[in-house]
Amino acid sequence: MTIKPLAPDETRMIGGYRVLGVLGAGGMGRVLLGAGPDGRLVAIKQVHPHLLDQRGYRARFTREVAASTRVSGAFTAPVVDFDVDADIPWLASLFVNGVPLDQAVREHGPLPAPAVLALAAGMAVALQNIHAAGLIHRDLKPANVLLTSDGPRVIDFGIAYLVENPTGITETGATLGSPAYMSPEQTLGEPLSAASDVFSLGTLLAMAATGTNPFAAASLAYTLFRIAHTEPDLELVPLELRELIAACLQRDPHFRPTTAQLLEGLGRLPGGPAPWPAPIQEAIARQHRELAGIAADPDATVVSSRIGRAGDATRPLRSAGAKRSRRRPLRLALIAALAVVALAAAGLTWVRLGHPQAPPPVAVPLLSQLRNTDTCAWLRQAVDGAVPANSGWPADTGAWTMEMTWDWGCSAQSGDHRLTVQPGSPLTAMKPTGGTVAGLRTLGIAGFGHCARGVDLSRTAGPWGIDVGTGPSDDCGFTEFVLSQLIRTQSSAPRRTDAASLAGVDVCALVTHDLLNALIGPVQEQPSQVDAHSCQWPGSSTVRVRSDLAQLPNYAADESFDLGGGLHALTRSAATRSTSECELTYAYRTVGDQQEALWVTTRGSDGEYEKLCTTSASVLRAAIGQLPKAN
């Protein structure tokens, strides 16, 4: 769009910045493009003069400045200068050269999965910095995210909506933000925590991946209803992104991951330039050339074109750790301190974390994190020194005997007492207990000298979660104590150090949808059952892939099966096999007296054993090719 020039009688200087043109305008002010003495471009937010006649308006703008200077980070842009005492107050942020996410998707289509992962990582870092400053964005939407050459940038923090309120104050419980990207608690006017921003992030990532808001409906009212009461539509979301996005979109904020968990689940992404599609990279480069030419012209006052929309992507960034004003360092410190008090007291758009009405939720791990947890080390860390005296278990876990179980869990024993922990385990045999553990609804089963308790953490196919079983007693108090300790300490749970182990492998990612479609299609991209170490897809027959840790003698009676290409698997002997199922086992590597193995099972009609084995063999060959190199 064309950027409007300055009026003939308007000043060409604000502070020490040469004004080049008007980027956009809104109800509370306008945004100007400026150039500093060193040539750096800035976005200058300048309030409308007539608003200064309203009582308290300048003070509210001062609070916005103070809030803007609280946050710093690589994926936000710094406030570089401001003057709250000027005749017309202003705030200058470093100008970010980028394409708004909503425009990028609208003009060039959904982002590919690697680009969405890069977007998720950058956004998680930005939110982590925002939340670490004790703030909540509350208006995270595609228009407030710029795609730049080196990653995304979060812009336009929600305080602008506070100062536009005609009363100047937002009552506790009022809903601020963009409706389609609100969290359920935000639509209902409930107290918010950092988890609200995580939900908005999930909606934003789904839109980036599909081009469609997962809660979109024919009317605004129905959209809000869907956000608050229904599950998101993730059918079009690529499988490799679905768990991440679905985790963010849990209606219960307790079930959403923290930003730290999101970053851990994403892992280390490839370095280098941001992986945006070529048309977006070209648009960024073209804008850079245009702006460089304008900034270099000492007589320039108008920007000829700009990728973005007024009052939207062109709003100044108010999220970074600011330089203090060169003229009023002490005054700013006092203003910032007073602003924090004012914001905390009001409970308004910028919400202090830890507000008594909205305690921080218990963070819930992703499936990938449970898969990569050293379960025995986690169990020892979680309960050491805290065991109830009447439990019969020593408080010092050094007296417990622990070993890894076949399903990558942990088995602990002390005297006659036995305990098992299975992270990411299927919970299909458990029923709701009506109770909670660490704020999470529990499932369970008890009887015959054994008690099992679990929390359902599934976000797609399931249920799966953390399963704790104890014996020889039907008393579930100790079981729930252990489960509670694990949940509360999961963010610091030790991770597996053996990168080659099958324990950390996502078996769902070993098989492509195209292969499954060719073998047993039509097959939906989403598996029908998922847990930490298995995946199942139904079609003309049903394929299940899983990994486990087994004692070597368990394979003694099995027969060799030639997979071709020098690869061999084991299959059940003719005396024990079923004609409606073919199960092939690939011995991946030996660890001590145990064998890490990958299993592929295909179930179908009676009498189709050979056909089912052809399918199992094709899937297993493909999966083996994706495994890490065994030690």
Side-chain angles (χ1 to χ4, degrees), residues 243-564:
E243 183 198 350
L244 168 71
I245 293 174
C248 296
L249 294 178
Q250 288 296 297
R251 287 201 304 277
D252 187 337
H254 292 83
F255 277 64
R256 298 172 205 152
T258 63
T259 52
Q261 289 175 316
L262 288 174
L263 290 169
E264 184 179 349
L266 288 166
R268 187 178 181 86
L269 298 177
W276 314 136
I280 296 176
Q281 296 283 10
E282 293 167 3
I284 295 170
R286 182 171 59 253
Q287 177 177 270
H288 177 75
R289 291 191 298 268
E290 292 176 358
L291 293 173
I294 293 164
D297 182 357
D299 298 321
T301 58
V302 179
V303 178
S304 61
S305 64
R306 159 78 177 173
I307 299 174
R309 294 200 306 271
D312 171 273
T314 56
R315 288 174 178 165
L317 311 184
R318 298 188 289 280
S319 61
K323 277 185 184 176
R324 300 192 184 275
S325 168
R326 292 187 290 271
R327 290 163 297 204
R328 301 178 180 82
L330 179 59
R331 181 178 177 81
L332 173 60
L334 293 173
I335 288 173
L338 290 173
V340 170
V341 173
L343 291 168
L348 308 180
T349 301
W350 291 95
V351 182
R352 288 287 301 174
L353 303 187
H355 189 290
Q357 290 184 314
V362 176
V364 174
L366 298 170
L367 191 58
S368 58
Q369 292 167 308
L370 293 176
R371 187 184 298 122
N372 285 286
T373 295
D374 183 334
T375 310
C376 287
W378 180 20
L379 174 61
R380 198 178 296 277
Q381 171 187 288
V383 301
D384 195 32
V387 176
N390 62 350
S391 68
W393 288 75
D396 178 8
T397 60
W400 299 14
T401 301
M402 295 187 185
E403 63 179 1
M404 190 182 299
T405 59
W406 67 272
D407 53 2
W408 312 105
C410 183
S411 175
Q413 189 162 355
S414 173
D416 293 333
H417 296 278
R418 302 180 305 277
L419 182 152
T420 59
V421 177
Q422 299 173 359
S425 170
L427 304 174
T428 51
M430 293 189 179
K431 304 297 182 184
T433 66
T436 62
V437 169
L440 301 175
R441 292 182 291 272
T442 55
L443 304 174
I445 187 169
F448 306 103
H450 178 78
C451 176
R453 286 291 184 269
V455 286
D456 180 6
L457 308 179
S458 58
R459 289 112 177 179
T460 51
W464 57 260
I466 303 173
D467 180 348
V468 175
T470 56
S473 171
D474 296 344
D475 180 5
C476 295
F478 184 63
T479 313
E480 294 179 356
F481 159 76
V482 174
L483 181 58
S484 175
Q485 290 293 104
L486 290 170
I487 294 170
R488 295 184 189 281
T489 62
Q490 58 79 28
S491 61
S492 61
R495 303 306 182 201
R496 300 184 190 276
T497 58
D498 185 356
S501 175
L502 277 184
V505 171
D506 178 4
V507 296
C508 297
L510 297 178
V511 187
T512 67
H513 179 255
D514 288 345
L515 176 62
L516 290 168
N517 239 356
L519 294 172
I520 61 169
V523 177
Q524 292 187 350
E525 289 194 21
Q526 174 69 6
S528 62
Q529 293 183 26
V530 175
D531 58 65
H533 303 288
S534 74
C535 257
Q536 181 169 294
W537 296 268
S540 58
S541 53
T542 299
V543 170
R544 184 177 186 228
V545 181
R546 68 181 176 92
S547 67
D548 73 5
L549 186 70
Q551 296 293 326
L552 290 175
N554 289 358
Y555 299 105
D558 291 345
E559 299 177 356
S560 179
F561 187 98
D562 186 3
L563 294 173

Side-chain angles (χ1 to χ4, degrees), residues 43-405:
I44 304 171
K45 180 176 182 178
Q46 189 180 52
V47 302
H48 288 314
H50 71 271
L51 293 177
L52 296 174
D53 296 332
Q54 294 184 12
R55 182 182 178 184
Y57 187 89
R58 188 182 294 269
R60 289 193 292 273
F61 184 77
T62 299
R63 290 198 295 271
E64 176 180 355
V65 171
S68 300
T69 61
R70 290 181 60 82
V71 186
S72 63
F75 295 100
T76 55
V79 172
V80 296
D81 206 353
F82 59 87
D83 191 345
V84 297
D85 294 323
D87 291 341
I88 301 178
W90 56 271
L91 168 69
S93 303
L94 189 66
F95 182 84
V96 176
N97 177 40
V99 180
L101 176 60
D102 61 337
Q103 180 179 337
V105 173
R106 183 175 63 251
E107 296 183 356
H108 306 295
L111 300 182
V116 177
L117 292 174
L119 174 64
M123 297 293 291
V125 171
L127 289 178
Q128 194 170 51
N129 292 326
I130 293 166
H131 298 159
L135 305 171
I136 302 173
H137 191 287
R138 288 189 70 168
D139 194 27
L140 200 64
K141 59 183 180 181
N144 284 344
V145 175
L146 291 182
L147 304 183
T148 76
S149 59
D150 59 352
R153 295 291 186 275
V154 177
I155 65 171
D156 207 350
F157 288 71
I159 195 71
Y161 292 92
L162 170 61
V163 296
E164 285 179 343
N165 189 300
T167 68
I169 298 176
T170 302
E171 292 76 13
T172 300
T175 58
L176 295 179
S178 301
Y181 292 88
M182 286 181 176
S183 65
E185 57 270 31
Q186 200 172 3
T187 67
L188 298 171
E190 297 174 349
L192 303 184
S193 69
S196 178
D197 283 343
V198 172
F199 188 95
S200 298
L201 173 61
T203 309
L204 180 148
L205 293 176
M207 183 283 238
T210 66
T212 303
N213 186 304
F215 298 101
S219 67
L220 174 59
Y222 191 35
T223 297
L224 293 174
F225 175 84
R226 289 196 61 195
I227 291 172
H229 302 292
T230 69
E231 296 299 322
D233 181 1
L234 301 182
E235 184 66 29
L236 298 178
V237 174
L239 183 59
E240 60 266 41
L241 303 174
R242 202 166 294 172
E243 183 198 350
L244 168 71
I245 293 174
C248 296
L249 294 178
Q250 288 296 297
R251 287 201 304 277
D252 187 337
H254 292 83
F255 277 64
R256 298 172 205 152
T258 63
T259 52
Q261 289 175 316
L262 288 174
L263 290 169
E264 184 179 349
L266 288 166
R268 187 178 181 86
L269 298 177
W276 314 136
I280 296 176
Q281 296 283 10
E282 293 167 3
I284 295 170
R286 182 171 59 253
Q287 177 177 270
H288 177 75
R289 291 191 298 268
E290 292 176 358
L291 293 173
I294 293 164
D297 182 357
D299 298 321
T301 58
V302 179
V303 178
S304 61
S305 64
R306 159 78 177 173
I307 299 174
R309 294 200 306 271
D312 171 273
T314 56
R315 288 174 178 165
L317 311 184
R318 298 188 289 280
S319 61
K323 277 185 184 176
R324 300 192 184 275
S325 168
R326 292 187 290 271
R327 290 163 297 204
R328 301 178 180 82
L330 179 59
R331 181 178 177 81
L332 173 60
L334 293 173
I335 288 173
L338 290 173
V340 170
V341 173
L343 291 168
L348 308 180
T349 301
W350 291 95
V351 182
R352 288 287 301 174
L353 303 187
H355 189 290
Q357 290 184 314
V362 176
V364 174
L366 298 170
L367 191 58
S368 58
Q369 292 167 308
L370 293 176
R371 187 184 298 122
N372 285 286
T373 295
D374 183 334
T375 310
C376 287
W378 180 20
L379 174 61
R380 198 178 296 277
Q381 171 187 288
V383 301
D384 195 32
V387 176
N390 62 350
S391 68
W393 288 75
D396 178 8
T397 60
W400 299 14
T401 301
M402 295 187 185
E403 63 179 1
M404 190 182 299
T405 59

